[in-house]
Amino acid sequence: MNSQHFANTLLRWYPQNKRELPWRNTKEPYIIWLSEIILQQTRVAQGQPFFEAFISRYPDVHRLAEAPIEEVMRLWQGLGYYSRARNLHACAQEIAFNRNGRFPATFGELRKLKGVGNYTAAAIASFAYGQKIAVVDGNVYRVLSRYFGIALDIASSQGQKAFADLANRLIPEASPDEYNQAIMEFGALQCVPKKPDCDICPLLPGCFAQKHRMVEELPVKTKKVRTTQRVFLYFHITAGDKTFIKERGPR
């Protein structure tokens, strides 16, 4: 199956199988940016209620930028990885106060924003501005590694570059944003990490992993565990029926 057939298969599959999510069917960069930050390290089912709460409270980037950081942190409570919330607030202030409320329109400029990495910058550039740039997440790694039989470690710089290069070569000229959504959704719903239903997969005829019985082995990812010894001192200070509490800072 050539690259055009691969892309066309995903584009046919997507409209019939995609989930209806509140951040889809929009070109508004604020909504796309907010959803991508919330969904970092977070499953859609867990992140969606937080997204809806944020959009209800802060319908535009100006409202978010003007909100006290303490309020933003409280609304974020339960999502974890709290540096994301601090970066979210700082980025909103940059956009609102220094860029007249407008998000940059190119990958390079988006990448300079606080808390915006390659994936998020590519997502905004593709979904908001229709740019032909690959959005490579864990789902995309899985689909590409299984279909094309790529055994490079996705945690290595070599592997990440190889996957990004391939992903960008596969994007069709027409509807690059739709294609990015399609391959990500395909990985989330069809080409799932454990025991995918390959019998109903539209990519089955050309899938390397299925042909060579390597579905469970791909993608390859080494786990580097770092251990750090840390010491914490806690003081529980009371005076009568009062308890003293000091809020922890960013560090």
Side-chain angles (χ1 to χ4, degrees), residues 107-120:
F107 173 84
E109 289 299 309
L110 287 162
R111 187 63 182 79
K112 296 176 183 178
L113 296 175
K114 185 78 170 178
V116 174
N118 289 339
Y119 167 78
T120 303

Side-chain angles (χ1 to χ4, degrees), residues 205-223:
C207 180
F208 178 96
Q210 175 64 14
K211 182 178 180 181
H212 294 85
R213 299 183 180 180
M214 294 180 63
V215 172
E216 298 299 328
E217 284 73 45
L218 295 174
V220 174
K221 182 180 181 181
T222 57
K223 295 182 179 179

Side-chain angles (χ1 to χ4, degrees), residues 139-213:
N139 293 314
V140 175
Y141 279 127
R142 190 163 54 255
V143 174
L144 295 181
S145 65
R146 286 174 174 173
Y147 184 81
F148 292 99
I150 303 173
L152 291 173
D153 184 359
I154 64 173
S156 69
S157 57
Q158 178 191 11
Q160 290 171 4
K161 183 180 186 304
F163 276 99
D165 290 344
L166 173 60
N168 277 296
R169 290 199 304 272
L170 292 170
I171 299 179
E173 291 292 337
S175 305
D177 52 342
E178 182 94 347
Y179 168 80
N180 275 324
Q181 293 275 20
I183 190 170
M184 292 166 65
E185 191 77 335
F186 190 81
L189 301 182
Q190 172 61 43
C191 195
V192 295
K194 299 294 183 181
K195 298 180 179 179
D197 190 351
C198 295
D199 290 339
I200 63 168
C201 178
L203 292 176
L204 178 62
C207 180
F208 178 96
Q210 175 64 14
K211 182 178 180 181
H212 294 85
R213 299 183 180 180

Side-chain angles (χ1 to χ4, degrees), residues 2-247:
N2 59 34
S3 60
Q4 185 175 0
H5 195 166
F6 175 84
N8 288 341
T9 300
L10 292 175
L11 287 169
R12 286 194 300 270
W13 175 91
Y14 181 63
Q16 301 171 8
N17 296 277
K18 68 178 180 179
R19 293 167 291 182
E20 292 301 325
L21 300 173
W23 48 83
R24 285 188 174 151
N25 303 317
T26 180
K27 296 291 186 181
E28 172 52 54
Y30 171 69
I31 294 177
I32 294 167
W33 163 75
L34 180 61
S35 70
E36 294 298 339
I37 298 299
I38 287 176
L39 292 177
Q40 289 173 5
Q41 307 292 327
T42 303
R43 294 177 293 106
V44 168
Q46 180 190 6
Q48 184 169 339
F50 285 89
F51 170 83
E52 292 170 346
F54 265 83
I55 284 294
S56 176
R57 190 71 165 267
Y58 313 120
D60 57 57
V61 73
H62 293 281
R63 295 281 290 276
L64 177 55
E66 292 164 358
I69 182 61
E70 294 81 8
E71 181 182 283
V72 175
M73 296 299 290
R74 282 196 299 272
L75 200 59
W76 191 273
Q77 190 170 3
L79 265 178
Y81 298 95
Y82 287 91
S83 61
R84 289 185 295 167
R86 297 186 189 96
N87 290 338
L88 181 86
H89 190 249
C91 183
Q93 292 184 323
E94 164 71 14
I95 297 296
F97 304 148
N98 300 332
R99 295 177 177 268
N100 298 317
R102 296 182 179 179
F103 280 78
T106 65
F107 173 84
E109 289 299 309
L110 287 162
R111 187 63 182 79
K112 296 176 183 178
L113 296 175
K114 185 78 170 178
V116 174
N118 289 339
Y119 167 78
T120 303
I124 299 170
S126 175
F127 304 149
Y129 302 113
Q131 292 183 14
K132 188 174 177 285
I133 182 168
V135 182
V136 184
D137 68 351
N139 293 314
V140 175
Y141 279 127
R142 190 163 54 255
V143 174
L144 295 181
S145 65
R146 286 174 174 173
Y147 184 81
F148 292 99
I150 303 173
L152 291 173
D153 184 359
I154 64 173
S156 69
S157 57
Q158 178 191 11
Q160 290 171 4
K161 183 180 186 304
F163 276 99
D165 290 344
L166 173 60
N168 277 296
R169 290 199 304 272
L170 292 170
I171 299 179
E173 291 292 337
S175 305
D177 52 342
E178 182 94 347
Y179 168 80
N180 275 324
Q181 293 275 20
I183 190 170
M184 292 166 65
E185 191 77 335
F186 190 81
L189 301 182
Q190 172 61 43
C191 195
V192 295
K194 299 294 183 181
K195 298 180 179 179
D197 190 351
C198 295
D199 290 339
I200 63 168
C201 178
L203 292 176
L204 178 62
C207 180
F208 178 96
Q210 175 64 14
K211 182 178 180 181
H212 294 85
R213 299 183 180 180
M214 294 180 63
V215 172
E216 298 299 328
E217 284 73 45
L218 295 174
V220 174
K221 182 180 181 181
T222 57
K223 295 182 179 179
K224 298 180 180 179
V225 179
R226 295 181 179 180
T227 59
T228 303
Q229 289 189 346
R230 305 178 69 183
V231 177
F232 293 91
L233 297 178
Y234 295 91
F235 297 90
H236 181 212
I237 305 172
T238 60
D241 61 350
K242 305 291 185 182
T243 299
F244 290 81
I245 299 175
K246 183 180 186 300
E247 182 180 14

